[in-house]
Amino acid sequence: MCVVALLEEPFRVGHFLPQDLKMPLCGPKCSLCGLIVSVWGIIQLSIMGGLFMWNSIGLIEDLGLEEHYDTTEELYKAADDAYSSIAYNCWIAAAIYLVTLVISMQQFHVNKQAGHFQL
Amino acid sequence: MAGFSYQRLKERGATMSEWGLFRSEEMSLCQLFLQTEAAYACVSELGELGLVQFRDLNPDVNAFQRKFVNEVRRCDEMERKLRYLEKEIKKDGIPMLDTGENPEAPQPREMIDLEATFEKLENELKEVNNNAETLKKNFLELTELKHILQKTQTFFDEEAQYHYVTHQMSEANRDDENAQLLGEDGMQAAGQSLKLGDGTQHVPDGIQQALLTSDEGDQVYKSVFIIFFQGEQLKTRVKKICEGFRATLYPCPETPPERREMKMGVMTRIEDLNTVLAQTQDHRHRVLVAAAKNIRTWFVKVRKIKAIYHTLNWFNLDVTQKCLIAECWVPSADTEAIQLALRRGSERSGSSVSPVLNSIQTREAPPTYNRTNKFTQGFQELVDAYGVASYREMNPAPYTIITFPFLFAVMFGDFGHGALMALMAAWMVWKEKPLGAKKIDNEIASIFFGGRYIILLMGLFSIYTGFIYNDIFSKSVNVLGSSWRNCFTDEEVHHHDAETLLLPPENRTCFYGTPYPFGFDPIWQISSNRVTFQNAFKMKISVLLGVLQMLFGVLLSVFNYRNFKQFSDLVTMFLPQVLFLLCLFGWLCMLCLLKWTMYSAPFEVGSGPEDAEAIRYGTHCAPSLLLIFINMFLLKDMNADAKGTGPGEKYCDGYLFDGQKGFQSFLLFVGVMCIPWMLLAKPILIWRQRRQQPHSELPETNGDVAAPAGGGGGGGHDEEEFSEVCIHQAIHTVEYVLGSVSHTASYLRLWALSLAHSQLSEVLWTMVLVRGLSMTREFWGGIVLYVIFGAWAGLTVSILIVMEGLSAFLHTLRLHWVEFQSKFYKGEGYIFAPFSFEIILREADSED
């Protein structure tokens, strides 16, 4: 059996367009998985971010508050801070998942053109 | 709805009995008389129809003695050739066209044409392959020679230079040189020098390029040696040594021009060989491509022919009338369609006599045939996996369509997980045509695909129970307005010593009085006694659902008794069973329901005598159902112990209503009386029936008929001995009575798995996702959350959906198979396996 060496096209330095990438970074399963998790992440994290922003009581145990506060105002302030910062974290994570979604979609498209999917 | 489907089915040539899926189809044993010429075509038509199950009328005949053994052998030979072709096609990587068309079984005379075609193709392919082999071997030899010549050229060029320097000294050696080249593969003695004797030199040099040996196709590295010697003796010795090392010898021309000429000759021959080789490969490729177009249809045709001849082998030949006789099981409703098919077949074969199909009486048990569509097929397979229904027994499958996903959902109840499961199944259902056409190799994936409707329903029902448990990925949602409020002021919270605050439901600022409209109140999520409260609810619900399903099972047995004309069993078996279940376990469920409805948190209640009613049915005096039930069996009075001394305690009553003690004793009496009823009624009835029957079967022994109490009951309608009847009845009674207790407890697994699922879900949220949420307040908390969310999603799918889903599936299956079906199902039938080309082809494909 012969061994054939696969020479990869070197990336062009300077401008890097997604259409140039003929060789997929990850296979069909990986891109499909990324697609599904990204969609799920975007939906769930945006909703969670909204819930945290509107001070949902059901999520109060996830804030990471202290065991003891001296006054009620301290508790309220800590809770408000926690709510808003976690909400921003959720939305930032959702944004990163949006980027992942775009990459996964592009990879999925490339894999489909390479004929890895038969559906 | 029923009328519509009946119409559709009539058009398709098949009719459904009025019981539909609730009971298996009526079958009749038919005899089929076919004229010998028409037999092949008729069987082909029946195979396409797929509604007839043939019986082997020659079971004792050896396979080699059957009538059509030659045809079967020819089919086997054709299949072998086709497989060889398929292998060659696969080796070349040519795609085999699968149009999905279903060609009909060809006529017997076409078989000869097919055989000829396959023979020709096989011979051609074999010839081409052999030629290619020989050519490749030649090519290899010539390549070797080429490399050897190249090496000698370089050697002699170097030697030439060396020659000029030392020609005086070695000129004597140069005369009469007779060099031979040898190529040696992998010689281990390359390091040592060969002692060949005087006057010989050898110069090893390796060929850098790998050569292919012709037989194994592996890469082998070869080295070139030049041996110089003088004289014939040395020549033979050198030859022998070379043969020992498996080296190939080539004669070396002495002068450079001769070497050059030889080299040119070799090069041209290599060129020629290359062209011929390429053309051979081309030819082979063309032959294979042409074959690949048709190979799928050929496979189908050959398999159909073989199946027809196999079936024909089961027929009996009636020599006098020159016709073949077959016995087959046929759904009674489909006789019209079968007659049509037979007429079509006999017309096609051009025979004058039409085939005859008439039913015969038999005492054998017919096979069980349930007409299913793509939706009901999965559920029917679930039921059949445990045991195929006896002929015309009540089929548990239609109820399973609803109860199975529902019980699964009770154990799985989470909106988020249910939604994911439903989405996945919905995708499989949406893409079911392309997925079904493509043959799935992975066995697990094909199992999931086969159960796609089951999984879809399971997911949808889990969404529903997720609403009821108010559980979305272990978090509750407050969409309908919680009925609980924080009723404590700031100072009260500050000055409170204990860790937890109790919200009393009697206080109308804490609890609004009207419960949450649908499902669990979201307040429970942040309360510390959430699990305790939910446990009580889930346990009671499990017992309620269990008793309901078991009662339904017992009621279904009525239909079985009616159908099999066992009316006495209605009184001796069904009645005591249902009374036992209702009086004892039905009463337990009743207690649960009564306690739920009759007791509530009293609002603005004092402790005076005018509030006796409210206090008695208030939170303080609610009796323990467990104690009530235990004391019912022990016949102990609940109010016998001294009451407590709390406020209003004297108004408490251990019972839910007045007269409960007497009522419970009555129920206990009825329930316990059912046990001897179940045990004795049927044997007594049979004994009396047999006593009244005339003893006609006994032989002529004059009066010496010994009839002991448990002795053989001759002449009865049953073949069973009386002692057997008694033993069977005893076993049945014990099984039922003990089974009721154990099965009712068994249904508590609904609570157990539901608890496990919700706790696992909560653990996953608090231990995994919350780490990402509250780890840091900085901006890079978002990135951490991004990573952790991915991990949480993976764990959710793998642990909570796949593992818990499979576990809940298994438990639901067990509940159906054991607890539900043991109440009415015998499951001693065998499944209807019709002669159908579709099934045969699908099996053959899956074997490939």
Side-chain angles (χ1 to χ4, degrees):
Chain A
M1 270 163 279
C2 296
V3 172
V4 177
L6 194 68
L7 295 168
E8 292 212 344
E9 240 190 351
F11 293 151
R12 271 172 264 165
V13 182
H15 51 103
F16 175 51
L17 297 163
Q19 295 95 317
D20 295 345
L21 201 56
K22 288 289 179 263
M23 179 74 72
L25 285 167
C26 56
K29 286 202 183 77
C30 172
S31 58
L32 184 65
C33 185
L35 203 61
I36 294 176
V37 175
S38 311
V39 171
W40 181 5
I42 292 172
I43 298 177
Q44 181 162 344
L45 286 170
S46 341
I47 294 176
M48 274 167 64
L51 287 173
F52 275 112
M53 205 61 201
W54 276 296
N55 289 14
S56 149
I57 295 290
L59 296 167
I60 198 165
E61 280 156 2
D62 306 332
L63 292 178
L65 298 175
E66 302 288 324
E67 286 288 319
H68 176 78
Y69 286 95
D70 290 321
T71 64
T72 326
E73 284 76 30
E74 257 182 66
L75 167 68
Y76 284 167
K77 183 170 176 312
D80 282 333
D81 282 340
Y83 270 126
S84 50
S85 69
I86 293 181
Y88 290 138
N89 280 350
C90 282
W91 283 330
I92 293 174
I96 305 179
Y97 268 114
L98 192 64
V99 173
T100 317
L101 177 71
V102 170
I103 299 178
S104 294
M105 278 179 73
Q106 192 266 338
Q107 289 297 309
F108 188 77
H109 200 64
V110 166
N111 269 308
K112 208 166 185 178
Q113 280 182 343
H116 285 153
F117 293 108
Q118 284 132 358
L119 283 174
Chain B
M1 196 66 157
F4 168 68
S5 62
Y6 190 74
Q7 190 62 31
R8 273 257 294 272
L9 288 164
K10 273 196 98 150
E11 290 162 19
R12 208 185 66 171
T15 50
M16 211 189 256
S17 68
E18 69 273 9
W19 275 100
L21 196 58
F22 288 103
R23 189 163 263 157
S24 69
E25 298 279 323
E26 257 186 45
M27 311 289 285
S28 46
L29 186 64
C30 290
Q31 246 183 353
L32 185 60
F33 293 91
L34 294 171
Q35 216 184 11
T36 330
E37 300 95 59
Y40 183 90
C42 288
V43 173
S44 162
E45 286 290 328
L46 289 177
E48 298 285 343
L49 195 59
L51 283 172
V52 173
Q53 179 178 347
F54 288 104
R55 287 190 351 167
D56 191 355
L57 292 175
N58 316 316
D60 311 321
V61 177
N62 195 354
F64 299 108
Q65 292 165 350
R66 296 203 185 231
K67 188 170 183 292
F68 294 98
V69 64
N70 281 328
E71 280 80 2
V72 174
R73 201 178 293 157
R74 280 160 68 193
C75 288
D76 276 334
E77 188 61 28
M78 281 200 277
E79 236 185 322
R80 187 194 60 80
K81 294 199 177 95
L82 279 178
R83 274 200 294 270
Y84 171 69
L85 273 173
E86 193 185 18
K87 197 168 63 128
E88 293 292 317
I89 291 176
K90 278 207 180 113
K91 220 196 292 188
D92 264 21
I94 303 172
M96 287 179 280
L97 192 65
D98 195 355
T99 54
E101 60 165 282
N102 196 8
E104 277 193 352
Q107 298 292 328
R109 44 181 178 278
E110 269 183 60
M111 202 164 112
I112 307 176
D113 292 336
L114 279 174
E115 277 182 318
T117 321
F118 297 158
E119 180 92 24
K120 190 167 78 80
L121 273 172
E122 193 195 15
N123 288 340
E124 216 176 306
L125 217 56
K126 279 216 171 96
E127 209 181 303
V128 163
N129 282 346
N130 284 340
N131 289 347
E133 286 298 307
T134 339
L135 289 172
K136 278 207 187 91
K137 217 167 25 172
N138 284 348
F139 180 73
L140 207 65
E141 283 180 8
L142 289 173
T143 325
E144 270 185 20
L145 192 54
K146 185 178 88 173
H147 284 292
I148 287 169
L149 287 173
Q150 273 177 347
K151 291 295 174 187
T152 45
Q153 190 68 34
T154 41
F155 167 72
F156 280 122
D157 287 340
E158 289 167 16
E159 261 302 304
Q161 297 166 356
Y162 183 68
H163 189 101
Y164 284 119
V165 173
T166 57
H167 76 281
Q168 277 101 5
M169 294 185 303
S170 53
E171 208 165 323
N173 288 348
R174 288 280 155 193
D175 299 326
D176 216 9
E177 84 180 16
N178 203 341
Q180 281 193 334
L181 306 166
L182 64 92
E184 190 147 343
D185 60 307
M187 192 179 90
Q188 275 82 13
Q192 12 165 288
S193 58
L194 289 174
K195 294 274 192 245
L196 299 171
D198 349 52
T200 63
Q201 298 172 5
H202 71 282
V203 181
D205 203 351
I207 299 181
Q208 293 312 314
Q209 191 183 13
L211 293 174
L212 288 165
T213 58
S214 55
D215 38 352
E216 289 125 46
D218 340 299
Q219 275 182 310
V220 175
Y221 288 95
K222 297 196 175 227
S223 316
V224 179
F225 288 78
I226 306 177
I227 308 182
F228 301 94
F229 54 87
Q230 273 182 325
E232 279 300 315
Q233 258 195 347
L234 280 173
K235 182 174 177 182
T236 37
R237 211 181 288 179
V238 163
K239 267 210 179 122
K240 283 229 173 66
I241 295 175
C242 293
E243 271 169 30
F245 274 99
R246 285 181 292 124
T248 23
L249 298 172
Y250 296 96
C252 177
E254 298 183 23
T255 56
E258 272 182 37
R259 281 198 286 272
R260 230 168 314 164
E261 217 181 283
M262 195 176 181
K263 190 163 166 190
M264 298 306 285
V266 167
M267 299 287 270
T268 13
R269 278 168 62 197
I270 287 182
E271 290 287 323
D272 289 338
L273 220 62
N274 264 337
T275 355
V276 175
L277 212 58
Q279 277 182 351
T280 320
Q281 293 291 41
D282 248 351
H283 178 69
R284 182 189 131 97
H285 191 82
R286 256 178 287 128
V287 166
L288 286 176
V289 161
K293 283 204 196 82
N294 299 327
I295 194 161
R296 283 272 155 249
T297 28
W298 284 337
F299 259 122
V300 167
K301 284 187 184 169
V302 168
R303 283 181 180 139
K304 281 192 179 176
I305 300 179
K306 194 162 119 169
I308 295 177
Y309 278 118
H310 258 303
T311 317
L312 285 175
N313 270 340
W314 286 355
F315 290 10
N316 258 339
L317 182 64
D318 187 6
V319 235
T320 54
Q321 289 158 2
K322 294 199 71 105
C323 76
L324 288 165
I325 311 176
E327 264 181 34
C328 50
W329 286 110
V330 155
S332 306
D334 286 333
T335 28
E336 251 183 63
I338 296 175
Q339 296 274 17
L340 261 164
L342 287 171
R343 218 172 305 149
R344 266 204 309 270
S346 66
E347 274 168 27
R348 253 202 1 205
S349 65
S351 96
S352 49
V353 182
S354 58
V356 176
L357 179 81
N358 58 338
S359 54
I360 53 183
Q361 300 289 335
T362 175
R363 294 189 66 114
E364 273 182 43
T368 313
Y369 176 47
N370 287 308
R371 245 182 258 275
T372 54
N373 54 27
K374 67 184 179 185
F375 176 65
T376 53
Q377 189 185 0
F379 297 100
Q380 187 66 51
E381 275 175 15
L382 277 182
V383 169
D384 286 342
Y386 190 60
V388 179
S390 309
Y391 179 61
R392 294 292 280 173
E393 197 179 34
M394 287 305 281
N395 184 15
Y399 323 109
T400 310
I401 297 177
I402 294 299
T403 57
F404 189 90
F406 182 67
L407 289 183
F408 174 88
V410 170
M411 292 194 252
F412 198 69
D414 187 310
F415 178 93
H417 304 148
L420 285 171
M421 192 183 259
L423 279 173
M424 194 188 75
W427 173 79
M428 276 201 286
V429 169
W430 182 35
K431 292 272 181 205
E432 67 180 357
K433 282 217 177 49
L435 280 173
K438 164 173 106 148
K439 283 149 193 84
I440 304 174
D441 294 325
N442 191 357
E443 195 176 327
I444 296 182
S446 68
I447 291 178
F448 276 124
F449 178 70
R452 57 195 182 282
Y453 285 105
I454 307 177
I455 301 178
L456 177 65
L457 279 182
M458 287 180 349
L460 290 175
F461 277 65
S462 299
I463 295 177
Y464 170 74
T465 51
F467 271 129
I468 292 193
Y469 293 154
N470 211 346
D471 204 352
I472 299 180
F473 293 124
S474 88
K475 291 287 164 196
S476 301
V477 285
N478 183 8
V479 284
L480 299 169
S482 172
S483 304
W484 295 80
R485 284 296 177 274
N486 177 23
C487 46
F488 295 102
T489 59
D490 220 6
E491 294 85 49
E492 281 173 331
V493 173
H494 271 280
H495 295 304
H496 202 87
D497 293 325
E499 283 269 330
T500 56
L501 288 166
L502 181 69
L503 294 172
E506 291 93 358
N507 188 341
R508 279 301 179 261
T509 45
C510 302
F511 174 57
Y512 279 4
T514 52
Y516 195 71
F518 188 78
F520 279 132
D521 198 303
I523 192 81
W524 288 108
Q525 197 197 354
I526 53 175
S527 64
S528 57
N529 57 343
R530 174 191 196 197
V531 174
T532 321
F533 172 71
Q534 285 189 336
N535 280 354
F537 168 75
K538 286 181 182 175
M539 278 201 227
K540 288 182 185 154
I541 272 286
S542 310
V543 171
L544 276 166
L545 288 174
V547 172
L548 216 61
Q549 193 175 32
M550 288 196 289
L551 184 65
F552 182 57
V554 176
L555 288 174
L556 278 181
S557 67
V558 173
F559 293 95
N560 273 346
Y561 293 139
R562 267 182 40 192
N563 184 48
F564 295 122
K565 307 277 190 294
Q566 296 165 332
F567 295 109
S568 60
D569 279 350
L570 279 175
V571 176
T572 58
M573 301 268 277
F574 164 71
L575 221 45
Q577 281 180 355
V578 81
L579 277 174
F580 181 78
L581 192 63
L582 281 177
C583 288
L584 299 179
F585 300 100
W587 176 241
L588 177 63
C589 298
M590 205 50 170
L591 285 174
C592 297
L593 290 171
L594 283 174
K595 189 169 173 189
W596 272 345
T597 47
M598 288 165 66
Y599 287 80
S600 63
F603 178 53
E604 277 174 2
V605 149
S607 25
E610 66 277 1
D611 295 318
E613 186 89 9
I615 296 174
R616 179 183 172 181
Y617 292 117
T619 53
H620 199 61
C621 293
S624 160
L625 289 182
L626 200 58
L627 286 177
I628 292 181
F629 202 58
I630 291 175
N631 287 341
M632 168 175 154
F633 282 88
L634 296 177
L635 292 169
K636 217 166 82 143
D637 195 343
M638 286 289 292
N639 291 325
D641 305 322
K643 295 213 177 93
T645 48
E649 274 269 0
K650 53 182 185 280
Y651 299 117
C652 281
D653 197 328
Y655 290 106
L656 278 75
F657 54 88
D658 300 325
Q660 180 177 351
K661 182 164 186 293
F663 184 62
Q664 279 184 178
S665 311
F666 168 69
L667 286 178
L668 181 66
F669 175 73
V670 172
V672 169
M673 274 299 111
C674 288
I675 298 178
W677 184 355
M678 261 191 268
L679 188 62
L680 296 172
K682 188 164 174 183
I684 291 177
L685 200 67
I686 291 183
W687 184 52
R688 284 171 60 184
Q689 275 178 353
R690 289 193 184 171
R691 238 185 11 167
Q692 283 164 7
Q693 297 266 352
H695 292 281
S696 51
E697 264 80 345
L698 290 177
E700 261 76 47
T701 56
N702 34 2
D704 197 27
V705 182
H717 58 88
D718 238 349
E719 306 84 34
E720 267 185 314
E721 284 199 10
F722 186 67
S723 52
E724 295 257 333
V725 172
C726 282
I727 292 176
H728 274 161
Q729 199 59 24
I731 292 175
H732 193 88
T733 309
V734 169
E735 209 181 358
Y736 184 79
V737 169
L738 293 181
S740 305
V741 180
S742 90
H743 292 169
T744 310
S746 178
Y747 273 97
L748 285 172
R749 70 186 68 219
L750 295 174
W751 156 65
L753 263 89
S754 165
L755 178 66
H757 188 89
S758 73
Q759 291 299 300
L760 258 180
S761 180
E762 200 173 310
V763 158
L764 215 54
W765 181 280
T766 14
M767 293 298 156
V768 178
L769 197 58
V770 170
R771 301 262 188 256
L773 287 173
S774 57
M775 182 177 281
T776 171
R777 304 288 167 80
E778 306 292 325
F779 69 94
W780 42 272
I783 303 176
V784 170
L785 182 59
Y786 166 81
V787 172
I788 290 189
F789 181 86
W792 177 84
L795 284 172
T796 297
V797 170
S798 63
I799 295 180
L800 286 172
I801 297 184
V802 172
M803 188 189 85
E804 277 283 316
L806 282 174
S807 164
F809 180 91
L810 187 69
H811 282 285
T812 315
L813 204 56
R814 176 254 155 72
L815 280 177
H816 277 81
W817 280 351
V818 178
E819 273 81 12
F820 174 53
Q821 289 180 354
S822 64
K823 300 288 179 286
F824 69 99
Y825 192 65
K826 294 289 174 296
E828 287 159 353
Y830 61 103
I831 197 141
F832 177 63
F835 172 62
S836 155
F837 287 139
E838 208 180 306
I839 298 176
I840 293 174
L841 289 171
R842 214 180 319 138
E843 275 175 19
D845 271 334
S846 64
E847 270 172 37
D848 286 341

